[in-house]
Amino acid sequence: MFVITLSYLVDVEQIDEAMPAHREWVDAQYDDGIFLASGPRVPREGGVILAAGVPRPELEARLSLDPFMQKNLVAYDVVEFVARAVKPGLEALRA
């Protein structure tokens, strides 16, 4: 499982201009079963994504296709971890 943080490298106006293409890309990752949750950070300085189901190299290849990344609008930080304990009902996330 991965916790991915996005940090904006540009002002929010530039982010908002690219948001429709980014959301289309995000939706495709959900359709492929890779993303589990996503949303903006508070305060709005970037975003957070939870992902699973692919090896890290494939995840990184997918991240490189994000329009935010292709336009150099964000920096990604990827942390891989093993979910040993989960809330009841989320057992499918456990390694």
Side-chain angles (χ1 to χ4, degrees):
M1 179 173 292
F2 302 92
V3 176
I4 305 156
T5 56
L6 293 78
S7 298
Y8 296 159
L9 301 176
V10 297
D11 59 52
V12 174
E13 289 78 21
Q14 288 178 275
I15 295 296
D16 287 342
E17 289 173 12
M19 189 63 72
H22 170 73
R23 286 194 176 138
E24 185 176 317
W25 172 82
V26 167
D27 289 346
Q29 307 318 302
Y30 277 106
D31 290 345
D32 288 346
I34 306 304
F35 285 3
L36 307 173
S38 61
R41 289 169 34 191
V42 178
R44 191 171 173 215
E45 301 170 339
V48 177
I49 301 168
L50 297 179
V54 295
R56 187 177 184 126
E58 182 179 339
L59 176 66
E60 290 176 350
R62 287 172 179 266
L63 295 176
S64 74
L65 299 176
D66 178 2
F68 279 178
M69 181 65 94
Q70 292 183 335
K71 294 180 180 185
N72 296 313
L73 303 179
V74 300
Y76 276 108
D77 182 46
V78 179
V79 176
E80 187 171 2
F81 77 103
V82 176
R84 297 265 187 243
V86 296
K87 179 180 176 174
L90 299 177
E91 291 84 3
L93 300 178
R94 196 172 325 149

